[in-house]
Amino acid sequence: MEKMEKRSVEQYKVFDLNIKGSKAGNPFKEAKLEAVFSNGTERYRVKGFYKGDGNYGIRFMPGSVGEWKYEIFGMDVDDERIVCTEDDKIGEEKNDENGERRSGSFLCTPASEENHGRVLLAKNVYQKGEVNFYPTEDEYHFAYEDGTRYQPFGTTCYAWINQKEEIQEQTLETLKQTPFNKIRMCIFPKSYSYNTEDPEMYAFEGDAESGFDFERFNPKFFENLEKRVNQLDELGIQADIILLHPYDRWGFSKMTREQDIFYLTYVVRRLSHFKNVWWSLANEYDLMPQKPVENWETYAHVIMENDPYGHLRSIHNCIPFYDHSRPWVTHCSIQRIDVYKTAEMVTEWRKQYRKPVVIDECGYEGNIDFGWGNLTGEELTRRYWEGCVRGGYLSHGETYVDRGDQIWWSHGGTLTGDSVARIGFLKQILAETPVDAEPLELTPENHEENWDAPCMHLGDEFFLYYYGFSRPLYRNYTLPAGKKYKLELIDTWNMTIEELPEIYEGKIRIKMGARQYMAVRMKQVESENV
Amino acid sequence: MEKMEKRSVEQYKVFDLNIKGSKAGNPFKEAKLEAVFSNGTERYRVKGFYKGDGNYGIRFMPGSVGEWKYEIFGMDVDDERIVCTEDDKIGEEKNDENGERRSGSFLCTPASEENHGRVLLAKNVYQKGEVNFYPTEDEYHFAYEDGTRYQPFGTTCYAWINQKEEIQEQTLETLKQTPFNKIRMCIFPKSYSYNTEDPEMYAFEGDAESGFDFERFNPKFFENLEKRVNQLDELGIQADIILLHPYDRWGFSKMTREQDIFYLTYVVRRLSHFKNVWWSLANEYDLMPQKPVENWETYAHVIMENDPYGHLRSIHNCIPFYDHSRPWVTHCSIQRIDVYKTAEMVTEWRKQYRKPVVIDECGYEGNIDFGWGNLTGEELTRRYWEGCVRGGYLSHGETYVDRGDQIWWSHGGTLTGDSVARIGFLKQILAETPVDAEPLELTPENHEENWDAPCMHLGDEFFLYYYGFSRPLYRNYTLPAGKKYKLELIDTWNMTIEELPEIYEGKIRIKMGARQYMAVRMKQVESENV
């Protein structure tokens, strides 16, 4: 038997099979195609999908290095045999006696340095037994599946893939310059204030005038979507994909339950092999009263059945929260519930849900008429800090109405606001916190010194206080007894870190300069370093 | 019978009887003295008090013009007869056959223009049947007893009467220049951060070294207190007198229940004739766990029994509210319950308590270390506006630690902050609102335009929107159908009112200039004015 060189795929990247088949009938709806991938210990059942023009896809993201074998099972609409294309001939491959079964294998090579795989709940990374440094009981954080720390710093461009080609390219160019590592984006176009144009392509066949065929997808739309998700991945950006939303004049928000399930099944089969995909079932689910809770529950299970990789899942509110304690909800994806107080609620929400708290909309920097979209850069930055020091995560958005044709929050394009640089600065500060630092709990003992400012700490080793809109001339601290500290004064708005020259211990008073938006970082020093 | 010229007293001012008696024993504790004042329809039972050095006082504030007659009943500690002084000889006066009874009369003349009497709940002014313009069902506002509108704009100088004489004088000079018409002030001195000096006088006999006699008051202290309350009255400032508080190293906060009652009885008998007195049972009652709720309830009734004028009564929290629904609580006197959100809660608290909501501490402008005392002028002004447009009232405080020896919030002295002038501007705007304007209730119909900004309105005639930290480039309004309006753009920070030249109707878009702290005032215009 002749030994052929195996097809190889980098860990966490995509093994892509294109399979030729029939175009007859409606293959989107009627074709069945799946494959089983196994490396001997792990086994994945992967659903295929119709790509149009007689092409079917099976895509697999291997999470472990070494040899993977696969078998394909399938039948197209005419009950013709699936024919594997040239691509599949690489590797060990055979038809079974009935000609219905194709199999093969490929080699999964180790991930390159920048490739860390999926983002998962930190506790699940630990359970997988990979290298990682999260405490077992961690409930509030994320990690890449290789154990690398992942702290979401999101932004929002809801309808960027529904803009003109050049705007999409510009958006990617802009993103490249930002600190953002997650983006919230819709599949369907957006019909809303400042969003009045029809897109060039839709997910379904049809058009705005003559209507849409909710049983046939638009291959070109999905090719572009895949391309964009892949480009985001190359920028290290998680695509938090919003599957359904209410801002609609085309009928996509009012599909029937069956149509929703058909759509979700297809999208999830088509995109789940991207390691950077997150599923957001809806934006403002509560503005779609036509979809009862039992539908969302069903949809969540449709997603789980069709996503063999268990990507992160959430559902985003307008006013009332969805019940984030539902087992399928991996993390809270929260919108501001109050004009005045949202990021400050992270403390309570962590306790309530015992899951990572991501405030995906805490208001946007800009000057549009809506109260959620006319914050100053200072205020958005303050909310970001406030939420992060409390152990949560936030998303950015920008809504200037007088700075060009595009508004970032919806169209993408360019960013002009003041908060982006400060969010980048915060990202750096947060990356430097110990991985198991957690918000300081208020106790009767520490209440007097700590009631008015959030603090993140790791035991007595590390403290990060944040003072927000307060502007104390100085603050008093009672440092843990018998321990010595170096202190840094952080101006979160001017992005400066001033290391104070002394070594501190005991009761101290630190001059803060009566400035707003200050933080104080304290690191314990060993006696020998003093 | 010879007709003597009657002694006369201006309405709402004080008819003052000084009565000579024995100094023996402890007249503060043992003497009994009271008087009945009547004008034929109204009848008041007024308790007297010992002033020291054999002098006893009976003071009465007549609320109606015309002739008032009085009878004095009393016995001092030696069972000697009370002797009226020369003062009392004016008017019709006689001893009864036992020589124990003194009586007389005086003429109450109409109040001068600036004299409006007590501040009461607006609904009680209405019930009294005087001239007034408050709706019968008003639950949330105050009025002078002559029907004149009173909107509290408070400030805070807790221990000003316990500072040196010249500081007290300076405080009055400062107050004269401010918009404030209410001041929160303590009787007992304050022992707290930035408050470390002993006062020159105490309410009780004794001193810090050798201790205090909680059964004997210090006449000089009370003479000064009366003088200061009277001076405040001359400035049109309500004295919101804090009877008990926890910031104490002298023992005044730890008196027994009996001592508290003795003290409260004396203070109320001594001060209640001042028309500008309000009773605040405590500052931060919850920081005095030594005093159970049943004590506060008893103390409230001690006050009511000894105050024939029914002055306003409240009790101020640190963290948990006292039960403001108690019948004796005339209005909510609230301290910030949250670092981030207080003035914004007025809407909820009005609904909950159905009483006027006065946020007596929503944080102070300044730069001290405590989170309640280092707000910017912008933020304190924002809170003031936010609370007032929601139908509540607020108090100011200033806490700069680096602008001289005194800190206004506690010592008085001078004011240097930015918020005072803006509070004055707001006071002017608020005085121009229709007296029966109320906060706009959110409904499903108006939610979309109004969810993010409070608004005060009177039907379709008047609207006052406030946009706080938002900075919209413009706002859209749907004006009530068929009606025309003049609009003003109010910059609450720069204190400008820009009248827009047009007459508006229907759906309109108003340019706001992407500025923070803006308000929009709309007044309906009659067709003939257009």
Side-chain angles (χ1 to χ4, degrees), chain A residues 194 319 336 338-341 344 365-372 374-379 382-383 386 390 400-403 418 447-448 451-454 469-476 509 514 516, chain B residues 194 319 336 338-341 344 365-372 374-379 382-383 386 390 400-403 418 447-448 451-454 469-476 509 514 516:
Chain A
Y194 312 107
I319 297 173
R336 177 203 68 256
D338 185 289
V339 176
Y340 308 93
K341 194 175 169 188
E344 300 79 9
E365 178 183 343
N367 61 16
I368 61 173
D369 50 330
F370 306 114
W372 46 259
N374 51 35
L375 300 182
T376 59
E378 286 88 342
E379 177 62 10
R382 187 193 71 75
R383 294 183 186 193
E386 185 81 35
R390 290 175 181 274
Y400 284 103
V401 67
D402 55 351
R403 299 189 182 176
D418 299 321
H447 188 272
E448 193 179 339
W451 68 271
D452 58 350
F469 53 67
S470 291
R471 49 156 189 191
L473 192 69
Y474 60 81
R475 291 284 301 202
N476 298 323
R509 168 168 291 191
Q516 287 191 299
Chain B
Y194 311 107
I319 297 172
R336 177 201 68 254
D338 185 290
V339 176
Y340 308 94
K341 195 176 170 190
E344 300 79 7
E365 178 182 344
N367 61 18
I368 61 173
D369 50 330
F370 306 113
W372 47 259
N374 51 35
L375 300 181
T376 60
E378 285 88 341
E379 177 62 10
R382 187 193 71 74
R383 293 183 187 194
E386 185 80 36
R390 289 175 182 274
Y400 284 103
V401 68
D402 56 351
R403 298 189 182 176
D418 299 321
H447 187 273
E448 193 179 339
W451 67 273
D452 57 350
F469 53 68
S470 292
R471 49 157 190 192
L473 193 68
Y474 59 81
R475 291 283 301 203
N476 298 324
R509 166 167 294 192
Q516 287 191 298

Side-chain angles (χ1 to χ4, degrees), chain A residues 25 56 71 73 85 153 158 181 210 213 283 324 339 394 444 452 500 507 514 524 528:
Chain A
Y56 296 76
E71 291 184 287
F73 309 85
T85 61
F153 279 78
Y158 285 127
N181 60 16
S210 52
D213 181 348
N283 217 46
H324 297 308
V339 176
L394 283 92
D452 58 350
L500 302 184
K507 284 186 176 290
Q524 197 188 342
E528 53 263 50

